[in-house]
Amino acid sequence: LTLTAFTVPRTGLTCGGGAMNNCIKAYRKKQGLTQIDLANRAGLNIRQIQKIENGEAQTENVTLKTIQAIAQALNAKIDDLIS
């Protein structure tokens, strides 16, 4: 299965490969945030952000609470991050 890049509606943001980690990274970079900035805004540990963005954390093991915190910190909708 090969995933291709897609554009998130309403934002024009392109998420490479269509994976959650790529979307989170793209949103973060578009806003000029570092991983530390995102971790602080979301109330998460920097290592959690690193694992998610680097694809080390399996999507099914990332809790809804964590995804909600990241989405809120990025002013994004959960659907846009996980679609």
Side-chain angles (χ1 to χ4, degrees):
L1 173 66
T2 303
L3 297 174
T4 58
F6 70 96
T7 302
V8 178
R10 300 179 304 280
T11 67
L13 191 67
T14 300
C15 296
M20 179 180 71
N21 62 318
N22 293 325
C23 287
I24 290 171
K25 185 183 285 188
Y27 265 87
R28 176 181 60 77
K29 287 185 172 188
K30 182 176 182 181
Q31 294 181 26
L33 300 173
T34 64
Q35 289 179 331
I36 293 171
D37 294 333
L38 177 55
N40 289 337
R41 281 187 178 189
L44 301 171
N45 183 292
I46 179 63
R47 189 66 187 124
Q48 284 178 283
I49 300 298
Q50 290 169 335
K51 283 182 173 183
I52 292 168
E53 284 194 2
N54 294 332
E56 296 171 29
Q58 298 297 318
T59 303
E60 60 271 12
N61 294 331
V62 179
T63 67
L64 180 58
K65 184 177 178 180
T66 297
I67 296 170
Q68 286 175 321
I70 292 170
Q72 184 175 9
L74 293 172
N75 297 315
K77 294 183 177 191
I78 292 174
D79 288 353
D80 292 341
L81 299 179
I82 64 173
S83 294

